[in-house]
Structure formats: C-alpha cells, structure tokens
PDB file of all heavy atoms in Angstrom:
ATOM      1  N   ASN Z   1      -9.742  13.179   2.453  1.00 89.00           N
ATOM      2  CA  ASN Z   1     -10.728  13.710   3.440  1.00 89.00           C
ATOM      3  C   ASN Z   1     -12.131  13.193   3.086  1.00 89.00           C
ATOM      4  O   ASN Z   1     -13.079  13.955   3.120  1.00 89.00           O
ATOM      5  CB  ASN Z   1     -10.682  15.258   3.411  1.00 89.00           C
ATOM      6  CG  ASN Z   1      -9.517  15.736   4.259  1.00 89.00           C
ATOM      7  OD1 ASN Z   1      -9.625  15.836   5.486  1.00 89.00           O
ATOM      8  ND2 ASN Z   1      -8.335  16.112   3.636  1.00 89.00           N
ATOM      9  N   ASN Z   2     -12.190  11.901   2.539  1.00 85.00           N
ATOM     10  CA  ASN Z   2     -13.549  11.267   2.360  1.00 85.00           C
ATOM     11  C   ASN Z   2     -14.407  12.080   1.400  1.00 85.00           C
ATOM     12  O   ASN Z   2     -15.469  12.330   1.697  1.00 85.00           O
ATOM     13  CB  ASN Z   2     -14.318  11.149   3.670  1.00 85.00           C
ATOM     14  CG  ASN Z   2     -13.534  10.313   4.756  1.00 85.00           C
ATOM     15  OD1 ASN Z   2     -12.920   9.320   4.443  1.00 85.00           O
ATOM     16  ND2 ASN Z   2     -13.375  10.903   5.953  1.00 85.00           N
ATOM     17  N   TYR Z   3     -13.801  12.364   0.240  1.00 93.00           N
ATOM     18  CA  TYR Z   3     -14.495  12.912  -0.933  1.00 93.00           C
ATOM     19  C   TYR Z   3     -15.652  11.968  -1.320  1.00 93.00           C
ATOM     20  O   TYR Z   3     -15.498  10.745  -1.403  1.00 93.00           O
ATOM     21  CB  TYR Z   3     -13.619  13.231  -2.070  1.00 93.00           C
ATOM     22  CG  TYR Z   3     -14.183  14.074  -3.079  1.00 93.00           C
ATOM     23  CD1 TYR Z   3     -14.432  15.432  -2.899  1.00 93.00           C
ATOM     24  CD2 TYR Z   3     -14.424  13.565  -4.355  1.00 93.00           C
ATOM     25  CE1 TYR Z   3     -14.955  16.253  -3.855  1.00 93.00           C
ATOM     26  CE2 TYR Z   3     -14.977  14.416  -5.326  1.00 93.00           C
ATOM     27  CZ  TYR Z   3     -15.212  15.750  -5.066  1.00 93.00           C
ATOM     28  OH  TYR Z   3     -15.753  16.531  -6.089  1.00 93.00           O
ATOM     29  N   PRO Z   4     -16.931  12.485  -1.425  1.00 93.00           N
ATOM     30  CA  PRO Z   4     -17.969  11.669  -1.868  1.00 93.00           C
ATOM     31  C   PRO Z   4     -17.738  10.765  -3.085  1.00 93.00           C
ATOM     32  O   PRO Z   4     -17.180  11.141  -4.104  1.00 93.00           O
ATOM     33  CB  PRO Z   4     -19.201  12.662  -2.153  1.00 93.00           C
ATOM     34  CG  PRO Z   4     -18.707  13.942  -1.500  1.00 93.00           C
ATOM     35  CD  PRO Z   4     -17.218  13.965  -1.459  1.00 93.00           C
ATOM     36  N   ASP Z   5     -18.179   9.400  -2.962  1.00 93.00           N
ATOM     37  CA  ASP Z   5     -17.860   8.493  -4.010  1.00 93.00           C
ATOM     38  C   ASP Z   5     -18.566   8.854  -5.298  1.00 93.00           C
ATOM     39  O   ASP Z   5     -17.990   8.633  -6.421  1.00 93.00           O
ATOM     40  CB  ASP Z   5     -18.455   7.141  -3.622  1.00 93.00           C
ATOM     41  CG  ASP Z   5     -17.602   6.481  -2.562  1.00 93.00           C
ATOM     42  OD1 ASP Z   5     -16.391   6.811  -2.451  1.00 93.00           O
ATOM     43  OD2 ASP Z   5     -18.097   5.578  -1.804  1.00 93.00           O
ATOM     44  N   SER Z   6     -19.650   9.442  -5.244  1.00 93.00           N
ATOM     45  CA  SER Z   6     -20.417   9.812  -6.502  1.00 93.00           C
ATOM     46  C   SER Z   6     -19.687  10.914  -7.292  1.00 93.00           C
ATOM     47  O   SER Z   6     -20.003  10.939  -8.480  1.00 93.00           O
ATOM     48  CB  SER Z   6     -21.844  10.351  -6.127  1.00 93.00           C
ATOM     49  OG  SER Z   6     -21.817  11.496  -5.323  1.00 93.00           O
ATOM     50  N   LEU Z   7     -18.852  11.729  -6.666  1.00 93.00           N
ATOM     51  CA  LEU Z   7     -18.143  12.638  -7.405  1.00 93.00           C
ATOM     52  C   LEU Z   7     -16.680  12.367  -7.758  1.00 93.00           C
ATOM     53  O   LEU Z   7     -16.078  13.052  -8.387  1.00 93.00           O
ATOM     54  CB  LEU Z   7     -18.141  14.073  -6.491  1.00 93.00           C
ATOM     55  CG  LEU Z   7     -19.441  14.629  -6.171  1.00 93.00           C
ATOM     56  CD1 LEU Z   7     -19.305  15.835  -5.209  1.00 93.00           C
ATOM     57  CD2 LEU Z   7     -20.291  14.931  -7.309  1.00 93.00           C
ATOM     58  N   LYS Z   8     -16.260  11.178  -7.265  1.00 94.00           N
ATOM     59  CA  LYS Z   8     -14.905  10.776  -7.485  1.00 94.00           C
ATOM     60  C   LYS Z   8     -14.464  10.693  -8.969  1.00 94.00           C
ATOM     61  O   LYS Z   8     -13.345  11.032  -9.300  1.00 94.00           O
ATOM     62  CB  LYS Z   8     -14.557   9.584  -6.732  1.00 94.00           C
ATOM     63  CG  LYS Z   8     -14.280   9.764  -5.288  1.00 94.00           C
ATOM     64  CD  LYS Z   8     -14.055   8.563  -4.455  1.00 94.00           C
ATOM     65  CE  LYS Z   8     -13.809   8.763  -3.022  1.00 94.00           C
ATOM     66  NZ  LYS Z   8     -13.655   7.526  -2.242  1.00 94.00           N
ATOM     67  N   PRO Z   9     -15.262  10.081  -9.909  1.00 94.00           N
ATOM     68  CA  PRO Z   9     -14.901   9.954 -11.291  1.00 94.00           C
ATOM     69  C   PRO Z   9     -14.437  11.223 -11.886  1.00 94.00           C
ATOM     70  O   PRO Z   9     -13.306  11.283 -12.490  1.00 94.00           O
ATOM     71  CB  PRO Z   9     -16.149   9.481 -11.890  1.00 94.00           C
ATOM     72  CG  PRO Z   9     -16.801   8.593 -10.823  1.00 94.00           C
ATOM     73  CD  PRO Z   9     -16.661   9.466  -9.556  1.00 94.00           C
ATOM     74  N   LYS Z  10     -15.090  12.324 -11.628  1.00 94.00           N
ATOM     75  CA  LYS Z  10     -14.608  13.574 -12.201  1.00 94.00           C
ATOM     76  C   LYS Z  10     -13.331  14.031 -11.599  1.00 94.00           C
ATOM     77  O   LYS Z  10     -12.486  14.650 -12.292  1.00 94.00           O
ATOM     78  CB  LYS Z  10     -15.741  14.705 -12.004  1.00 94.00           C
ATOM     79  CG  LYS Z  10     -15.552  15.922 -12.650  1.00 94.00           C
ATOM     80  CD  LYS Z  10     -16.660  16.876 -12.608  1.00 94.00           C
ATOM     81  CE  LYS Z  10     -16.536  18.213 -13.413  1.00 94.00           C
ATOM     82  NZ  LYS Z  10     -17.681  19.050 -13.304  1.00 94.00           N
ATOM     83  N   LEU Z  11     -13.222  13.876 -10.279  1.00 95.00           N
ATOM     84  CA  LEU Z  11     -11.904  14.338  -9.607  1.00 95.00           C
ATOM     85  C   LEU Z  11     -10.760  13.462 -10.094  1.00 95.00           C
ATOM     86  O   LEU Z  11      -9.790  14.016 -10.274  1.00 95.00           O
ATOM     87  CB  LEU Z  11     -12.136  14.246  -8.093  1.00 95.00           C
ATOM     88  CG  LEU Z  11     -10.981  14.775  -7.245  1.00 95.00           C
ATOM     89  CD1 LEU Z  11     -10.887  16.180  -7.469  1.00 95.00           C
ATOM     90  CD2 LEU Z  11     -11.284  14.393  -5.821  1.00 95.00           C
ATOM     91  N   LEU Z  12     -10.963  12.172 -10.239  1.00 95.00           N
ATOM     92  CA  LEU Z  12      -9.935  11.207 -10.774  1.00 95.00           C
ATOM     93  C   LEU Z  12      -9.569  11.569 -12.204  1.00 95.00           C
ATOM     94  O   LEU Z  12      -8.333  11.537 -12.605  1.00 95.00           O
ATOM     95  CB  LEU Z  12     -10.391   9.870 -10.569  1.00 95.00           C
ATOM     96  CG  LEU Z  12     -10.512   9.345  -9.072  1.00 95.00           C
ATOM     97  CD1 LEU Z  12     -11.125   7.972  -9.138  1.00 95.00           C
ATOM     98  CD2 LEU Z  12      -9.088   9.400  -8.363  1.00 95.00           C
ATOM     99  N   GLU Z  13     -10.498  11.966 -12.879  1.00 95.00           N
ATOM    100  CA  GLU Z  13     -10.155  12.489 -14.366  1.00 95.00           C
ATOM    101  C   GLU Z  13      -9.257  13.709 -14.326  1.00 95.00           C
ATOM    102  O   GLU Z  13      -8.330  13.804 -15.156  1.00 95.00           O
ATOM    103  CB  GLU Z  13     -11.421  12.708 -15.158  1.00 95.00           C
ATOM    104  CG  GLU Z  13     -11.240  13.087 -16.542  1.00 95.00           C
ATOM    105  CD  GLU Z  13     -10.688  11.925 -17.384  1.00 95.00           C
ATOM    106  OE1 GLU Z  13     -10.932  10.748 -16.958  1.00 95.00           O
ATOM    107  OE2 GLU Z  13     -10.067  12.216 -18.399  1.00 95.00           O
ATOM    108  N   ARG Z  14      -9.586  14.580 -13.421  1.00 95.00           N
ATOM    109  CA  ARG Z  14      -8.776  15.861 -13.211  1.00 95.00           C
ATOM    110  C   ARG Z  14      -7.382  15.463 -12.880  1.00 95.00           C
ATOM    111  O   ARG Z  14      -6.413  15.990 -13.271  1.00 95.00           O
ATOM    112  CB  ARG Z  14      -9.339  16.745 -12.290  1.00 95.00           C
ATOM    113  CG  ARG Z  14      -8.645  18.137 -12.214  1.00 95.00           C
ATOM    114  CD  ARG Z  14      -9.382  19.077 -11.166  1.00 95.00           C
ATOM    115  NE  ARG Z  14     -10.700  19.216 -11.597  1.00 95.00           N
ATOM    116  CZ  ARG Z  14     -11.702  19.235 -10.706  1.00 95.00           C
ATOM    117  NH1 ARG Z  14     -11.516  19.029  -9.377  1.00 95.00           N
ATOM    118  NH2 ARG Z  14     -13.035  19.384 -11.131  1.00 95.00           N
ATOM    119  N   LYS Z  15      -7.299  14.456 -11.913  1.00 94.00           N
ATOM    120  CA  LYS Z  15      -5.892  14.031 -11.429  1.00 94.00           C
ATOM    121  C   LYS Z  15      -5.176  13.398 -12.600  1.00 94.00           C
ATOM    122  O   LYS Z  15      -3.958  13.828 -12.833  1.00 94.00           O
ATOM    123  CB  LYS Z  15      -6.120  12.979 -10.366  1.00 94.00           C
ATOM    124  CG  LYS Z  15      -4.777  12.324  -9.876  1.00 94.00           C
ATOM    125  CD  LYS Z  15      -5.131  11.387  -8.754  1.00 94.00           C
ATOM    126  CE  LYS Z  15      -3.760  10.720  -8.295  1.00 94.00           C
ATOM    127  NZ  LYS Z  15      -2.909  11.545  -7.615  1.00 94.00           N
ATOM    128  N   LYS Z  16      -5.842  12.607 -13.399  1.00 93.00           N
ATOM    129  CA  LYS Z  16      -5.088  12.033 -14.574  1.00 93.00           C
ATOM    130  C   LYS Z  16      -4.627  13.078 -15.502  1.00 93.00           C
ATOM    131  O   LYS Z  16      -3.438  13.096 -15.957  1.00 93.00           O
ATOM    132  CB  LYS Z  16      -6.083  11.119 -15.292  1.00 93.00           C
ATOM    133  CG  LYS Z  16      -5.480  10.437 -16.486  1.00 93.00           C
ATOM    134  CD  LYS Z  16      -6.518   9.450 -17.160  1.00 93.00           C
ATOM    135  CE  LYS Z  16      -5.912   8.848 -18.478  1.00 93.00           C
ATOM    136  NZ  LYS Z  16      -7.026   7.960 -19.111  1.00 93.00           N
ATOM    137  N   ASN Z  17      -5.505  14.102 -15.855  1.00 93.00           N
ATOM    138  CA  ASN Z  17      -5.002  15.144 -16.761  1.00 93.00           C
ATOM    139  C   ASN Z  17      -4.039  16.008 -16.182  1.00 93.00           C
ATOM    140  O   ASN Z  17      -3.038  16.438 -16.871  1.00 93.00           O
ATOM    141  CB  ASN Z  17      -6.319  16.012 -17.017  1.00 93.00           C
ATOM    142  CG  ASN Z  17      -7.339  15.361 -17.858  1.00 93.00           C
ATOM    143  OD1 ASN Z  17      -7.124  14.407 -18.490  1.00 93.00           O
ATOM    144  ND2 ASN Z  17      -8.592  15.857 -17.677  1.00 93.00           N
ATOM    145  N   CYS Z  18      -4.026  16.180 -14.891  1.00 90.00           N
ATOM    146  CA  CYS Z  18      -2.954  16.869 -14.198  1.00 90.00           C
ATOM    147  C   CYS Z  18      -1.627  16.242 -14.364  1.00 90.00           C
ATOM    148  O   CYS Z  18      -0.600  16.807 -14.626  1.00 90.00           O
ATOM    149  CB  CYS Z  18      -3.276  17.103 -12.727  1.00 90.00           C
ATOM    150  SG  CYS Z  18      -2.626  18.424 -11.941  1.00 90.00           S
ATOM    151  N   VAL Z  19      -1.602  14.936 -14.167  1.00 89.00           N
ATOM    152  CA  VAL Z  19      -0.361  14.078 -14.250  1.00 89.00           C
ATOM    153  C   VAL Z  19       0.080  14.220 -15.675  1.00 89.00           C
ATOM    154  O   VAL Z  19       1.335  14.319 -15.939  1.00 89.00           O
ATOM    155  CB  VAL Z  19      -0.613  12.615 -13.864  1.00 89.00           C
ATOM    156  CG1 VAL Z  19       0.608  11.790 -14.167  1.00 89.00           C
ATOM    157  CG2 VAL Z  19      -0.907  12.522 -12.322  1.00 89.00           C
ATOM    158  N   GLN Z  20      -0.785  14.115 -16.714  1.00 89.00           N
ATOM    159  CA  GLN Z  20      -0.342  14.238 -17.985  1.00 89.00           C
ATOM    160  C   GLN Z  20       0.335  15.554 -18.409  1.00 89.00           C
ATOM    161  O   GLN Z  20       1.298  15.573 -19.133  1.00 89.00           O
ATOM    162  CB  GLN Z  20      -1.551  13.894 -19.008  1.00 89.00           C
ATOM    163  CG  GLN Z  20      -2.022  12.447 -18.910  1.00 89.00           C
ATOM    164  CD  GLN Z  20      -3.316  12.312 -19.729  1.00 89.00           C
ATOM    165  OE1 GLN Z  20      -4.008  13.264 -20.078  1.00 89.00           O
ATOM    166  NE2 GLN Z  20      -3.617  10.980 -20.044  1.00 89.00           N
ATOM    167  N   GLU Z  21      -0.244  16.605 -17.884  1.00 88.00           N
ATOM    168  CA  GLU Z  21       0.332  17.886 -18.055  1.00 88.00           C
ATOM    169  C   GLU Z  21       1.636  18.148 -17.429  1.00 88.00           C
ATOM    170  O   GLU Z  21       2.569  18.648 -18.032  1.00 88.00           O
ATOM    171  CB  GLU Z  21      -0.589  19.021 -17.565  1.00 88.00           C
ATOM    172  CG  GLU Z  21      -1.951  19.227 -18.325  1.00 88.00           C
ATOM    173  CD  GLU Z  21      -1.777  19.583 -19.727  1.00 88.00           C
ATOM    174  OE1 GLU Z  21      -0.838  20.229 -19.995  1.00 88.00           O
ATOM    175  OE2 GLU Z  21      -2.642  19.238 -20.492  1.00 88.00           O
ATOM    176  N   LEU Z  22       1.845  17.544 -16.310  1.00 86.00           N
ATOM    177  CA  LEU Z  22       3.073  17.500 -15.657  1.00 86.00           C
ATOM    178  C   LEU Z  22       4.195  16.764 -16.321  1.00 86.00           C
ATOM    179  O   LEU Z  22       5.363  17.023 -16.470  1.00 86.00           O
ATOM    180  CB  LEU Z  22       3.006  16.991 -14.187  1.00 86.00           C
ATOM    181  CG  LEU Z  22       2.290  17.949 -13.209  1.00 86.00           C
ATOM    182  CD1 LEU Z  22       1.960  17.254 -11.780  1.00 86.00           C
ATOM    183  CD2 LEU Z  22       3.072  19.194 -13.011  1.00 86.00           C
ATOM    184  N   GLN Z  23       3.738  15.555 -16.959  1.00 83.00           N
ATOM    185  CA  GLN Z  23       4.631  14.726 -17.744  1.00 83.00           C
ATOM    186  C   GLN Z  23       5.041  15.576 -18.917  1.00 83.00           C
ATOM    187  O   GLN Z  23       6.292  15.383 -19.312  1.00 83.00           O
ATOM    188  CB  GLN Z  23       3.920  13.415 -18.126  1.00 83.00           C
ATOM    189  CG  GLN Z  23       3.763  12.489 -17.074  1.00 83.00           C
ATOM    190  CD  GLN Z  23       3.021  11.163 -17.635  1.00 83.00           C
ATOM    191  OE1 GLN Z  23       1.984  11.425 -18.285  1.00 83.00           O
ATOM    192  NE2 GLN Z  23       3.418  10.049 -17.248  1.00 83.00           N
ATOM    193  N   LYS Z  24       4.269  16.404 -19.604  1.00 80.00           N
ATOM    194  CA  LYS Z  24       4.660  17.100 -20.639  1.00 80.00           C
ATOM    195  C   LYS Z  24       5.715  18.079 -20.424  1.00 80.00           C
ATOM    196  O   LYS Z  24       6.648  18.263 -21.210  1.00 80.00           O
ATOM    197  CB  LYS Z  24       3.305  17.916 -21.250  1.00 80.00           C
ATOM    198  CG  LYS Z  24       2.346  17.080 -21.829  1.00 80.00           C
ATOM    199  CD  LYS Z  24       1.121  17.899 -22.358  1.00 80.00           C
ATOM    200  CE  LYS Z  24      -0.008  17.128 -22.889  1.00 80.00           C
ATOM    201  NZ  LYS Z  24      -1.157  17.938 -23.240  1.00 80.00           N
ATOM    202  N   CYS Z  25       5.700  18.652 -19.248  1.00 71.00           N
ATOM    203  CA  CYS Z  25       6.756  19.676 -18.910  1.00 71.00           C
ATOM    204  C   CYS Z  25       7.763  19.095 -18.035  1.00 71.00           C
ATOM    205  O   CYS Z  25       8.542  19.907 -17.323  1.00 71.00           O
ATOM    206  CB  CYS Z  25       6.125  20.891 -18.362  1.00 71.00           C
ATOM    207  SG  CYS Z  25       5.107  20.623 -16.896  1.00 71.00           S
ATOM    208  N   CYS Z  26       7.869  17.708 -17.888  1.00 60.00           N
ATOM    209  CA  CYS Z  26       8.903  17.004 -17.121  1.00 60.00           C
ATOM    210  C   CYS Z  26       8.942  17.446 -15.694  1.00 60.00           C
ATOM    211  O   CYS Z  26       9.988  17.537 -15.091  1.00 60.00           O
ATOM    212  CB  CYS Z  26      10.259  17.260 -17.757  1.00 60.00           C
ATOM    213  SG  CYS Z  26      10.401  16.826 -19.430  1.00 60.00           S
ATOM    214  N   LYS Z  27       7.788  17.718 -15.068  1.00 52.00           N
ATOM    215  CA  LYS Z  27       7.667  18.122 -13.698  1.00 52.00           C
ATOM    216  C   LYS Z  27       6.978  17.106 -12.862  1.00 52.00           C
ATOM    217  O   LYS Z  27       6.774  17.268 -11.691  1.00 52.00           O
ATOM    218  CB  LYS Z  27       7.008  19.459 -13.480  1.00 52.00           C
ATOM    219  CG  LYS Z  27       7.676  20.665 -14.032  1.00 52.00           C
ATOM    220  CD  LYS Z  27       6.962  21.855 -13.853  1.00 52.00           C
ATOM    221  CE  LYS Z  27       7.671  23.140 -14.516  1.00 52.00           C
ATOM    222  NZ  LYS Z  27       6.956  24.386 -14.180  1.00 52.00           N
ATOM    223  N   LEU Z  28       6.710  15.861 -13.464  1.00 48.00           N
ATOM    224  CA  LEU Z  28       6.092  14.904 -12.658  1.00 48.00           C
ATOM    225  C   LEU Z  28       6.821  14.441 -11.447  1.00 48.00           C
ATOM    226  O   LEU Z  28       7.998  14.124 -11.589  1.00 48.00           O
ATOM    227  CB  LEU Z  28       5.699  13.718 -13.562  1.00 48.00           C
ATOM    228  CG  LEU Z  28       5.059  12.446 -13.002  1.00 48.00           C
ATOM    229  CD1 LEU Z  28       3.654  12.892 -12.469  1.00 48.00           C
ATOM    230  CD2 LEU Z  28       4.880  11.439 -14.006  1.00 48.00           C
ATOM    231  N   ASN Z  29       6.196  14.416 -10.370  1.00 45.00           N
ATOM    232  CA  ASN Z  29       6.795  13.876  -9.127  1.00 45.00           C
ATOM    233  C   ASN Z  29       7.206  12.402  -9.288  1.00 45.00           C
ATOM    234  O   ASN Z  29       6.390  11.533  -9.746  1.00 45.00           O
ATOM    235  CB  ASN Z  29       5.806  14.036  -7.981  1.00 45.00           C
ATOM    236  CG  ASN Z  29       6.327  13.566  -6.612  1.00 45.00           C
ATOM    237  OD1 ASN Z  29       7.390  13.029  -6.586  1.00 45.00           O
ATOM    238  ND2 ASN Z  29       5.592  13.778  -5.557  1.00 45.00           N
ATOM    239  N   LEU Z  30       8.443  12.096  -9.125  1.00 39.00           N
ATOM    240  CA  LEU Z  30       8.868  10.648  -9.252  1.00 39.00           C
ATOM    241  C   LEU Z  30       8.202   9.728  -8.239  1.00 39.00           C
ATOM    242  O   LEU Z  30       8.215   8.555  -8.426  1.00 39.00           O
ATOM    243  CB  LEU Z  30      10.390  10.641  -9.049  1.00 39.00           C
ATOM    244  CG  LEU Z  30      11.221  11.399 -10.069  1.00 39.00           C
ATOM    245  CD1 LEU Z  30      12.710  11.320  -9.884  1.00 39.00           C
ATOM    246  CD2 LEU Z  30      10.847  10.898 -11.542  1.00 39.00           C
ATOM    247  N   LEU Z  31       7.595  10.342  -7.148  1.00 39.00           N
ATOM    248  CA  LEU Z  31       6.965   9.506  -6.240  1.00 39.00           C
ATOM    249  C   LEU Z  31       5.581   9.115  -6.601  1.00 39.00           C
ATOM    250  O   LEU Z  31       4.913   8.320  -6.031  1.00 39.00           O
ATOM    251  CB  LEU Z  31       6.949  10.213  -4.809  1.00 39.00           C
ATOM    252  CG  LEU Z  31       8.211  10.500  -4.136  1.00 39.00           C
ATOM    253  CD1 LEU Z  31       7.944  11.369  -2.914  1.00 39.00           C
ATOM    254  CD2 LEU Z  31       8.917   9.195  -3.794  1.00 39.00           C
ATOM    255  N   GLU Z  32       5.142   9.722  -7.774  1.00 41.00           N
ATOM    256  CA  GLU Z  32       3.771   9.331  -8.269  1.00 41.00           C
ATOM    257  C   GLU Z  32       4.000   7.971  -9.020  1.00 41.00           C
ATOM    258  O   GLU Z  32       4.362   7.888 -10.179  1.00 41.00           O
ATOM    259  CB  GLU Z  32       3.384  10.510  -9.280  1.00 41.00           C
ATOM    260  CG  GLU Z  32       1.915  10.468  -9.652  1.00 41.00           C
ATOM    261  CD  GLU Z  32       0.979  10.866  -8.622  1.00 41.00           C
ATOM    262  OE1 GLU Z  32       1.498  11.669  -7.725  1.00 41.00           O
ATOM    263  OE2 GLU Z  32      -0.139  10.688  -8.612  1.00 41.00           O
ATOM    264  N   SER Z  33       3.622   7.004  -8.323  1.00 36.00           N
ATOM    265  CA  SER Z  33       3.907   5.612  -8.877  1.00 36.00           C
ATOM    266  C   SER Z  33       2.988   5.183 -10.037  1.00 36.00           C
ATOM    267  O   SER Z  33       1.887   5.768 -10.219  1.00 36.00           O
ATOM    268  CB  SER Z  33       3.778   4.613  -7.753  1.00 36.00           C
ATOM    269  OG  SER Z  33       2.491   4.591  -7.211  1.00 36.00           O
ATOM    270  N   ILE Z  34       3.412   4.087 -10.681  1.00 31.00           N
ATOM    271  CA  ILE Z  34       2.566   3.506 -11.723  1.00 31.00           C
ATOM    272  C   ILE Z  34       1.185   3.130 -11.123  1.00 31.00           C
ATOM    273  O   ILE Z  34       0.168   3.190 -11.845  1.00 31.00           O
ATOM    274  CB  ILE Z  34       3.326   2.370 -12.394  1.00 31.00           C
ATOM    275  CG1 ILE Z  34       4.596   2.786 -13.037  1.00 31.00           C
ATOM    276  CG2 ILE Z  34       2.386   1.604 -13.354  1.00 31.00           C
ATOM    277  CD1 ILE Z  34       5.334   1.670 -13.654  1.00 31.00           C
ATOM    278  N   SER Z  35       1.247   2.526  -9.956  1.00 35.00           N
ATOM    279  CA  SER Z  35      -0.044   2.063  -9.355  1.00 35.00           C
ATOM    280  C   SER Z  35      -1.044   3.290  -9.130  1.00 35.00           C
ATOM    281  O   SER Z  35      -2.156   3.147  -9.234  1.00 35.00           O
ATOM    282  CB  SER Z  35       0.156   1.294  -8.048  1.00 35.00           C
ATOM    283  OG  SER Z  35       0.810   2.143  -7.202  1.00 35.00           O
ATOM    284  N   ASP Z  36      -0.379   4.345  -8.686  1.00 41.00           N
ATOM    285  CA  ASP Z  36      -1.114   5.510  -8.446  1.00 41.00           C
ATOM    286  C   ASP Z  36      -1.813   6.081  -9.807  1.00 41.00           C
ATOM    287  O   ASP Z  36      -2.988   6.524  -9.808  1.00 41.00           O
ATOM    288  CB  ASP Z  36      -0.267   6.765  -7.930  1.00 41.00           C
ATOM    289  CG  ASP Z  36      -1.071   7.781  -7.296  1.00 41.00           C
ATOM    290  OD1 ASP Z  36      -2.286   7.675  -7.212  1.00 41.00           O
ATOM    291  OD2 ASP Z  36      -0.436   8.871  -6.828  1.00 41.00           O
ATOM    292  N   LEU Z  37      -1.041   6.033 -10.865  1.00 39.00           N
ATOM    293  CA  LEU Z  37      -1.586   6.495 -12.192  1.00 39.00           C
ATOM    294  C   LEU Z  37      -2.738   5.534 -12.588  1.00 39.00           C
ATOM    295  O   LEU Z  37      -3.674   5.922 -13.236  1.00 39.00           O
ATOM    296  CB  LEU Z  37      -0.493   6.378 -13.308  1.00 39.00           C
ATOM    297  CG  LEU Z  37       0.601   7.429 -13.056  1.00 39.00           C
ATOM    298  CD1 LEU Z  37       1.639   7.305 -14.124  1.00 39.00           C
ATOM    299  CD2 LEU Z  37       0.002   8.869 -12.923  1.00 39.00           C
ATOM    300  N   GLN Z  38      -2.613   4.254 -12.296  1.00 36.00           N
ATOM    301  CA  GLN Z  38      -3.646   3.299 -12.533  1.00 36.00           C
ATOM    302  C   GLN Z  38      -4.922   3.584 -11.897  1.00 36.00           C
ATOM    303  O   GLN Z  38      -6.082   3.472 -12.409  1.00 36.00           O
ATOM    304  CB  GLN Z  38      -3.209   1.823 -12.269  1.00 36.00           C
ATOM    305  CG  GLN Z  38      -2.108   1.332 -13.251  1.00 36.00           C
ATOM    306  CD  GLN Z  38      -1.445  -0.059 -12.749  1.00 36.00           C
ATOM    307  OE1 GLN Z  38      -1.703  -0.301 -11.595  1.00 36.00           O
ATOM    308  NE2 GLN Z  38      -0.905  -0.718 -13.649  1.00 36.00           N
ATOM    309  N   ILE Z  39      -4.770   4.136 -10.631  1.00 37.00           N
ATOM    310  CA  ILE Z  39      -5.937   4.485  -9.838  1.00 37.00           C
ATOM    311  C   ILE Z  39      -6.654   5.580 -10.573  1.00 37.00           C
ATOM    312  O   ILE Z  39      -7.896   5.640 -10.546  1.00 37.00           O
ATOM    313  CB  ILE Z  39      -5.523   4.876  -8.363  1.00 37.00           C
ATOM    314  CG1 ILE Z  39      -5.030   3.806  -7.602  1.00 37.00           C
ATOM    315  CG2 ILE Z  39      -6.689   5.703  -7.787  1.00 37.00           C
ATOM    316  CD1 ILE Z  39      -4.533   4.206  -6.195  1.00 37.00           C
ATOM    317  N   CYS Z  40      -5.963   6.503 -11.301  1.00 38.00           N
ATOM    318  CA  CYS Z  40      -6.639   7.587 -11.946  1.00 38.00           C
ATOM    319  C   CYS Z  40      -7.696   7.025 -13.052  1.00 38.00           C
ATOM    320  O   CYS Z  40      -8.705   7.622 -13.285  1.00 38.00           O
ATOM    321  CB  CYS Z  40      -5.617   8.406 -12.692  1.00 38.00           C
ATOM    322  SG  CYS Z  40      -4.530   9.302 -11.516  1.00 38.00           S
ATOM    323  N   ASP Z  41      -7.288   5.756 -13.592  1.00 37.00           N
ATOM    324  CA  ASP Z  41      -8.122   5.361 -14.636  1.00 37.00           C
ATOM    325  C   ASP Z  41      -9.241   4.409 -14.087  1.00 37.00           C
ATOM    326  O   ASP Z  41     -10.222   3.998 -14.810  1.00 37.00           O
ATOM    327  CB  ASP Z  41      -7.353   4.449 -15.645  1.00 37.00           C
ATOM    328  CG  ASP Z  41      -6.441   5.416 -16.392  1.00 37.00           C
ATOM    329  OD1 ASP Z  41      -6.854   6.516 -16.777  1.00 37.00           O
ATOM    330  OD2 ASP Z  41      -5.274   4.959 -16.782  1.00 37.00           O
TER     331      ASP Z  41
END
C-alpha cells in the first residue's frame, strides 16, 4: 500500500527479524522465497 520510502528500511528490518523468528520455530512459510529474503536485506 505504498509505504513511504523513507520509512522502509526499518520496516524491512522488522520483516527480516520476523522471518528469522519463524525459521527458529519452523513456521516459515515455504512460499517465502530466497529472493524475498534478499529483499529484506
């Protein structure tokens, strides 16, 4: 929904942390592709 570019780094960091937490408990969505994880960085 067109989140402001200036605020995206913080949001993408949260996304990355979220994916890592899901990986820890084996709940990561298999549809979350490698390219998507690269976007987080």
Side-chain angles (χ1 to χ4, degrees):
N1 281 277
N2 302 313
Y3 192 67
D5 287 337
S6 61
L7 300 177
K8 281 180 181 176
K10 188 174 183 180
L11 185 63
L12 292 171
E13 183 67 25
R14 184 178 306 137
K15 178 179 175 68
K16 178 180 177 180
N17 293 336
C18 205
V19 169
Q20 290 174 345
E21 292 296 332
L22 288 169
Q23 284 177 317
K24 290 178 185 178
C25 55
C26 301
K27 293 181 180 178
L28 177 62
N29 182 356
L30 296 177
L31 295 172
E32 194 77 17
S33 64
I34 295 176
S35 61
D36 196 7
L37 295 180
Q38 290 172 342
I39 288 175
C40 295
D41 292 324

